[in-house]
Amino acid sequence: MRILSYKILFILIFVFTDLRSKEFALIHSANFSNLLVKIAVDIKSKQEGLMYFKQLKGYNGMLFIYDKPQIVKFWMQNTLIPLDIIFINDRNIISSVKEGIPMEERLISSDINISAVLEIPKGCAKQLKIKKGESISWMVKKETEIKNIRYFHCLNSKEK
């Protein structure tokens, strides 16, 4: 029984470590680089997204990555921050940029099958020149790899 307990503990530690190692991404395009975001790594984090956050600290938003292209629907219920919601197809081309209004219960859907969605504070898409048809990419980073990366926030008045 004790060996089984250790095996379960080891598996839990391995799974938790694996999820933590894929927690952040650096977003890049032709117009900007090193936009630091958290990654929604599991079903629960994808369902909750940025709900209940009053502000973002230490990162700029959230990237949702899907295993296969699909129509996805987002809603802003319990989301307190106004958002730009950027839908990205399987070729890493932005298919649409939509506005997320805090506490809105209307669904916000992709128009086509997409592979990823980027949520950033409202106005950041315009500030960073993120628009339909642009190419966007990302690199997954471990938490230890981002400690020395300058925190870039597109709404910081010093950055404008």
Side-chain angles (χ1 to χ4, degrees), residues 1-65:
M1 188 64 166
R2 179 171 244 172
I3 293 173
L4 181 61
S5 297
Y6 285 119
K7 284 182 180 179
I8 291 171
L9 180 61
F10 175 77
I11 290 170
L12 289 173
I13 290 171
F14 176 77
V15 167
F16 179 74
T17 302
D18 186 51
L19 292 178
R20 297 288 293 172
S21 70
K22 297 177 182 173
E23 191 172 0
F24 292 91
L26 290 174
I27 309 291
H28 306 277
S29 84
N31 299 314
F32 66 89
S33 62
N34 292 343
L35 181 71
L36 182 64
V37 297
K38 286 192 95 169
I39 296 179
V41 293
D42 56 22
I43 292 172
K44 184 178 181 191
S45 62
K46 285 180 182 176
Q47 288 174 341
E48 290 181 2
L50 295 174
M51 288 172 33
Y52 307 109
F53 285 80
K54 292 181 180 176
Q55 61 182 0
L56 299 176
K57 291 183 179 179
Y59 59 95
N60 302 290
M62 186 168 281
L63 180 67
F64 301 77
I65 302 173

Side-chain angles (χ1 to χ4, degrees), residues 63-82:
L63 180 67
F64 301 77
I65 302 173
Y66 298 92
D67 294 330
K68 59 183 179 179
Q70 58 191 284
I71 297 287
V72 296
K73 298 176 191 295
F74 281 69
W75 73 340
M76 295 287 293
Q77 183 177 9
N78 301 320
T79 304
L80 308 172
I81 303 169

